[in-house]
C-alpha cells in the first residue's frame, strides 16, 4: 500500500519526537516543501523513529481476521472428524452385523440345516445391498479399497445362498432321485454344486488377499467366518470332480452294504451275517438285493488259511470271517475280494486272481445303531410274513430270534426278515416330511462321527476323500515327530456265539508323563458277562474273546494280569490239503511272538502300531479283569510349551464306559485346565450326549506349575 505524502506525516513525526523528550524546535513551522519534507524525513530516519502507518477507517484488525479463520478451520476439521467417526462406526456396525449373520449361516451348514443357512446368507446379502447401495458411492474416498471387499462379500453370500439351495435339494430329494431313476437330475445338481464350490473358492481367494483392510474398521474378519469352512469345501469340490464321472460311467456300479452284527464282535465292527448288493446305473438305483453272507460263502471254492485265532472254529477263510482287521479299509478289501470270488458272481476258479462277472466298486459298513435310529424316526414296522413288529429297542434281538428259529427248522431263507425290513424302511424314509429329513441328516452326521458307518472305495481318490474326513475307518497315522500317546482296544469273538450283546466293559487308563520323556500307562479292562439275564440260549454261551490293544510303535509291556494262554489247534492240515495263504493275513501273523515274561500275551505289528494280544473266557454271570502296564518314549523330553496329544480310536460296534486320566510331569500342569491332571469320561452304553467318537483326540499343552 502507498504511503501518504511526507507533509501529511510531519505532524506525526513531531509528536513522536516530543514523546521521546527531544526538542522539536527545528521542525516547527517548517514549510511543507519538497526540500523541507526530504529534510524532515532524513531527520526522522536519523532519530530512528518507527515508520508511520495511517489508521484504516471501517476495517477489522488483521489479528481478529486470522482468529476467525482459525475458528472456522477448527470447526470444519472437527465436523469432518465427527462425520468420519460416525460414518466409520455405521460402516463397522453394518459390516459386523452381516459377518455375524454369515457366521451363523456357516454354523447352520455344519449342522446340516441348509434351510436356515440359506435364510441367513440371503439376509446378509440383502442387508448389504440396502446398507451400502449408495453409501460407498458417496463416501468411498473415505474407505479406499473397501468397496471391492464389500462387493466381494456380497458375491460370497449370494454364492453361499445358492449352495444351500443345492443342499436343500439333496436333503429333500436324494433318496427319491436314486429310487425313482432320476439319476440325470441328480447328476445335474451335483455338477451345479461343483460349479458353485469353484466360484466360492475363487471369491474367497480374492477376499483373503485384501481382507486386512476390512479388519481395520471391523472387529471380525471374513476369514473367521468363511475360511475355516474353505478347506472342507475345496475337498468337497475335488470329491465331486471325481464322483460325477464315476456316477456317469457306462458300466453299472455295484456297492456292497455290509450289515455288522456286534453281538458277535469282530475287529472292524461285527460279524458280517448279511449284505445288500446295490446297483447304480447313471446315479439311479437299478436294483437292491439283500443276501445272507452264506449265499456267497457256500459258492466260494477258495481254500485260504484263516487267521490263527479263528482256526479252531472255521476251516477256511470266508467272507463272513474276513472282517478281521481293525482298519476297515483292509477288512472291506478282503470281504470284497472273497465275495467277488464266489460263483454267485460268476467266478469259476479256485484262485483269488479269477475275474468275476461282477465286481464291487465300494463297501459300506452299517451298524445296528443305524437301523435303530431309522426305526426311531419311522416308528414300529410290521413284518407281515414273520408276524412280528420291530422297533428301535427290540429289532436286533428279534431278528436274531427269527434267524435262529429259521435255522432250527432249516428254513429256505432264515434271514428273509431283513429283506422285508429293508424294503419297508426305504419306503417310509422316502416319505419323510421336512422335520424327519432334518433329523435324519443329523443322525447321519453322528453315524459318521461314531463309526456306525464306514466307507471303502476301490478308486483311490474317492477313498482318500473319506479318509480325509475320518469316515473310512482307517487307523490313525501320526507324523514322525508325534509327541503323545495312542490307544485302541479291539475285541474279536472267536467261538463265543452271540454273547457280546451282553458283555459290559469298563475301560480305565491312567497315563503318567515323566520328565525323562517316557509315558507310563496303567490300563484296566473290567469285563462282565450278563447273558444269564437273557431268555435266549445263544446269548448265554460262554464268551471267548481275543483282545488286542494297539499302542504306539516300540511300546514295552511292563506288567500284565488277567488274560489266558489259549492253545489253537487247527481243524485242517493246511499244508496237506493245498491251502493258500492270504497276503495280508500272512503279513500280520509273520511277526507274532510270545512276550517272554508273560506267556499269555503275544505281540505283533499292525497298521504301524505295536499290538499286544491275549485271550479272555467268561461264562454267563462271570466278571474278569485284565490289566496291561506298558510304556513308550516320546520324541522329545517335555518342556514348557510342549504340545502333547492323546489319541484314542474306538472299535466300531462297541458300547463301553471309558475313563482316561493323563498326568503331567512333576513341576508341570496343563494349560487347558490349569491342573496337573486332565480327565476324560464317556459312557456309550447309557449316554446319548457324551458318546465316544470314532477317533478321540485330546490336545494338551504343558506349562510350568
Amino acid at each position: 500500500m502507498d504511503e501518504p505524502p511526507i507533509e501529511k506525516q510531519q505532524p506525526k513525526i513531531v509528536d513522536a519526537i516530543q514523546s521521546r523528550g527531544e526538542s522539536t524546535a527545528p521542525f516547527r513551522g517548517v514549510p511543507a516543501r519538497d526540500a523541507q519534507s526530504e529534510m524532515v524525513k532524513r531527520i526522522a530516519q536519523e532519530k530512528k523513529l518507527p515508520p508511520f502507518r495511517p489508521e484504516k477507517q471501517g476495517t477489522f484488525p488483521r489479528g481478529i481476521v486470522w482468529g476467525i479463520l482459525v475458528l472456522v478451520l477448527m470447526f470444519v476439521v472437527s465436523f469432518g472428524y465427527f462425520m468420519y467417526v460416525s460414518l466409520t462406526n455405521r460402516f463397522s456396525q453394518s459390516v459386523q452385523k452381516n459377518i455375524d449373520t454369515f457366521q451363523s449361516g456357516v454354523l447352520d451348514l455344519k449342522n446340516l440345516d441348509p434351510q436356515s443357512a440359506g435364510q441367513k446368507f440371503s439376509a446378509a446379502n440383502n442387508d448389504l445391498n440396502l446398507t451400502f447401495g449408495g453409501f460407498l458411492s458417496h463416501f468411498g474416498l473415505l474407505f479406499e479399497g473397501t468397496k471391492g471387499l464389500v462387493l466381494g462379500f456380497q458375491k460370497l453370500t449370494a454364492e453361499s445362498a445358492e449352495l444351500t439351495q443345492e443342499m436343500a435339494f439333496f436333503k429333500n430329494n436324494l433318496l427319491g432321485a436314486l429310487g425313482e431313476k432320476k439319476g440325470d437330475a441328480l447328476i445335474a445338481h451335483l455338477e451345479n454344486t461343483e460349479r458353485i464350490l469353484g466360484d466360492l473358492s475363487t471369491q474367497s481367494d480374492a477376499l483373503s488377499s485384501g481382507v486386512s483392510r476390512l479388519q481395520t474398521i471391523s472387529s471380525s474378519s471374513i476369514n473367521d467366518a468363511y475360511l475355516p469352512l474353505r478347506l472342507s469345501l475345496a475337498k468337497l469340490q475335488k470329491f465331486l470332480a471325481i464322483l460325477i464321472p464315476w456316477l456317469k460311467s457306462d458300466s453299472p456300479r455295484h456297492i456292497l452294504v455290509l450289515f455288522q452284527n456286534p453281538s458277535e464282535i469282530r475287529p472292524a465292527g461285527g460279524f458280517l451275517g448279511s449284505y445288500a448288493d446295490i446297483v447304480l446305473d447313471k446315479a439311479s438305483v437299478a436294483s437292491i438285493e439283500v443276501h445272507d453272507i452264506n449265499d456267497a460263502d457256500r459258492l466260494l471254492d477258495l481254500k485260504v488259511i484263516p487267521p490263527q485265532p479263528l482256526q479252531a472254529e472255521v476251516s477256511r477263510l470266508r467272507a463272513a470271517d474276513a472282517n478281521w482287521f481293525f482298519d476297515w479299509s483292509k477288512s472291506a478289501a478282503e470281504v470284497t475280494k472273497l465275495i467277488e470270488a464266489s460263483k454267485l458272481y460268476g467266478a469259476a476258479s479256485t484262485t483269488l486272481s479269477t475275474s468275476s462277472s461282477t465286481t464291487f466298486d465300494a463297501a459300506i459298513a452299517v451298524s445296528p445303531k443305524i437301523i435303530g435310529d431309522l426305526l426311531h424316526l419311522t416308528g414300529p414296522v410290521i413284518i407281515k410274513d414273520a408276524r412280528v413288529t420291530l422297533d428301535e429297542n427290540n429289532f436286533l434281538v428279534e431278528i436274531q430270534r427269527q434267524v435262529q428259529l429259521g435255522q432250527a427248522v432249516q428254513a429256505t431263507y432264515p434271514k428273509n426278515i431283513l429283506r422285508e425290513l429293508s424294503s419297508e424302511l426305504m419306503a417310509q424314509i422316502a416319505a419323510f416330511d421336512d422335520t424327519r429329513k432334518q433329523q435324519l441328516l443329523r443322525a447321519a452326521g453322528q453315524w459318521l462321527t461314531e463309526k456306525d458307518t464306514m466307507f471303502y472305495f476301490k478308486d483311490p481318490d474317492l477313498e482318500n476323500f473319506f479318509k480325509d474326513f475320518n469316515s473310512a475307518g482307517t487307523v490313525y497315522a501320526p507324523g514322525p515327530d508325534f509327541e503323545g500317546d495312542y490307544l485302541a482296544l479291539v475285541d474279536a469273538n472267536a467261538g463265543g456265539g452271540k454273547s457280546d450283546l451282553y458283555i459290559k466293559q469298563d475301560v480305565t487308563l491312567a497315563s503318567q508323563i515323566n520328565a525323562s520323556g517316557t509315558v507310563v500307562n496303567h490300563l484296566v479292562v473290567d469285563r462282565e458277562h450278563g447273558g444269564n439275564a437273557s431268555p435266549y440260549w445263544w446269548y448265554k454261551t460262554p464268551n471267548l474273546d481275543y483282545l488286542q490293544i494297539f499302542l504306539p510303535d516300540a511300546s514295552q509291556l511292563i506288567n500284565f494280569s488277567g488274560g489266558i494262554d489259549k492253545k489253537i489247534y487247527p481243524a485242517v492240515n493246511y499244508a496237506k490239503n493245498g491251502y493258500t495263504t492270504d497276503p495280508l493275513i500272512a503279513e500280520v501273523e509273520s511277526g507274532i511272538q510270545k512276550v517272554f515274561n508273560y506267556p499269555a500275551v503275544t505281540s505283533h505289528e499292525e497298521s504301524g502300531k505295536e499290538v499286544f494280544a491275549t485271550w479272555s473266557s467268561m461264562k454267563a454271570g462271570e466278571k474278569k479283569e485284565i490289566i496291561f502296564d506298558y510304556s513308550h518314549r516320546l520324541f522329545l523330553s517335555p518342556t514348557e510349551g510342549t504340545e502333547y496329544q492323546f489319541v484314542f480310536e474306538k472299535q466300531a460296534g462297541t458300547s463301553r464306559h471309558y475313563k482316561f486320566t493323563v498326568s503331567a510331569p512333576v513341576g508341570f500342569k496343563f494349560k487347558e485346565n490349569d491342573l496337573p491332571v486332565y480327565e476324560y469320561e464317556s459312557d456309550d452304553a447309557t449316554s446319548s450326549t457324551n458318546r465316544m467318537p470314532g477317533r478321540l483326540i485330546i490336545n494338551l499343552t504343558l506349562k510350568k506349575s
Side-chain angles (χ1 to χ4, degrees), residues 40-56:
V40 171
K41 185 176 181 180
R42 186 173 59 253
I43 293 172
Q45 290 174 347
E46 290 176 356
K47 295 291 186 179
K48 295 184 172 30
L49 297 177
F52 171 75
R53 293 290 185 268
E55 294 183 2
K56 295 183 179 179

Side-chain angles (χ1 to χ4, degrees), residues 88-89 91-100 103 211-225:
T88 299
N89 288 339
F91 184 76
S92 177
Q93 290 170 5
S94 298
V95 170
Q96 182 71 58
K97 174 186 174 183
N98 285 283
I99 289 179
D100 290 344
Q103 286 175 322
V211 77
S212 59
R213 297 174 182 172
L214 192 58
Q215 286 179 290
T216 62
I217 57 171
S218 175
S219 60
S220 285
S221 167
I222 295 176
N223 283 330
D224 295 336

Side-chain angles (χ1 to χ4, degrees), residues 187-312:
I187 290 173
H189 281 278
L190 288 172
E191 289 175 334
N192 192 45
T193 301
E194 181 188 6
R195 178 195 61 78
I196 295 170
L197 292 173
D199 292 343
L200 281 171
S201 178
T202 300
Q203 192 57 49
S204 67
D205 288 341
L207 282 173
S208 62
S209 64
V211 77
S212 59
R213 297 174 182 172
L214 192 58
Q215 286 179 290
T216 62
I217 57 171
S218 175
S219 60
S220 285
S221 167
I222 295 176
N223 283 330
D224 295 336
Y226 173 71
L227 296 186
L229 192 64
R230 179 182 169 197
L231 181 60
S232 296
L233 293 179
K235 289 180 179 179
L236 181 57
Q237 181 189 4
K238 182 179 179 181
F239 170 67
L240 291 178
I242 302 165
L243 177 65
I244 292 171
W246 188 86
L247 289 172
K248 294 170 72 173
S249 170
D250 292 333
S251 301
R253 299 292 187 180
H254 286 257
I255 300 174
L256 276 175
V257 178
L258 297 157
F259 301 107
Q260 305 208 77
N261 186 357
S263 300
E264 188 176 349
I265 197 70
R266 290 295 169 88
F271 182 79
L272 303 177
S274 306
Y275 70 93
D277 174 13
I278 299 180
V279 181
L280 294 180
D281 186 10
K282 296 289 196 302
S284 295
V285 175
S287 65
I288 300 178
E289 294 184 0
V290 178
H291 290 276
D292 187 316
I293 197 74
N294 288 320
D295 293 348
D297 282 340
R298 275 193 295 265
L299 298 174
L300 179 66
D301 292 334
L302 296 179
K303 295 166 66 175
V304 180
I305 301 172
Q308 287 183 11
L310 294 177
Q311 288 177 8

Side-chain angles (χ1 to χ4, degrees), residues 16-192:
I17 292 173
Q18 286 179 338
S19 67
R20 294 171 59 174
E22 297 183 16
S23 175
T24 61
F27 305 105
R28 295 189 183 278
V30 177
R33 291 189 296 269
D34 291 342
Q36 291 176 331
S37 296
E38 287 297 326
M39 180 184 65
V40 171
K41 185 176 181 180
R42 186 173 59 253
I43 293 172
Q45 290 174 347
E46 290 176 356
K47 295 291 186 179
K48 295 184 172 30
L49 297 177
F52 171 75
R53 293 290 185 268
E55 294 183 2
K56 295 183 179 179
Q57 300 298 321
T59 60
F60 289 107
R62 290 191 177 185
I64 296 177
V65 174
W66 281 110
I68 292 174
L69 290 175
V70 170
L71 288 175
V72 170
L73 182 60
M74 289 178 62
F75 174 79
V76 171
V77 171
S78 299
F79 181 76
Y81 178 74
F82 171 79
M83 288 297 295
Y84 176 79
V85 171
S86 177
L87 292 173
T88 299
N89 288 339
R90 177 186 167 192
F91 184 76
S92 177
Q93 290 170 5
S94 298
V95 170
Q96 182 71 58
K97 174 186 174 183
N98 285 283
I99 289 179
D100 290 344
T101 302
F102 185 81
Q103 286 175 322
S104 182
V106 170
L107 183 61
D108 287 338
L109 275 182
K110 292 181 179 179
N111 292 332
L112 301 176
D113 189 351
Q115 182 177 2
S116 178
Q119 291 172 350
K120 290 171 182 175
F121 292 146
S122 296
N125 191 48
N126 293 336
D127 189 63
L128 281 168
N129 285 328
L130 290 173
T131 303
F132 301 111
F135 181 83
L136 288 175
S137 63
H138 290 90
F139 303 103
L141 291 176
L142 295 177
F143 307 100
E144 184 180 358
T146 303
K147 184 175 182 179
L149 292 172
V150 172
L151 294 176
F153 187 43
Q154 285 178 301
K155 292 180 182 178
L156 186 66
T157 56
E159 293 285 356
S160 299
E162 190 176 356
L163 176 62
T164 61
Q165 292 176 6
E166 292 296 341
M167 290 183 63
F169 169 83
F170 295 124
K171 170 189 171 183
N172 296 321
N173 304 290
L174 177 60
L175 293 176
L178 288 169
E180 297 172 8
K181 301 187 184 306
K182 295 181 179 179
D184 290 342
L186 178 59
I187 290 173
H189 281 278
L190 288 172
E191 289 175 334
N192 192 45

Side-chain angles (χ1 to χ4, degrees), residues 361 389 455:
D361 300 281
T389 299
F455 293 83

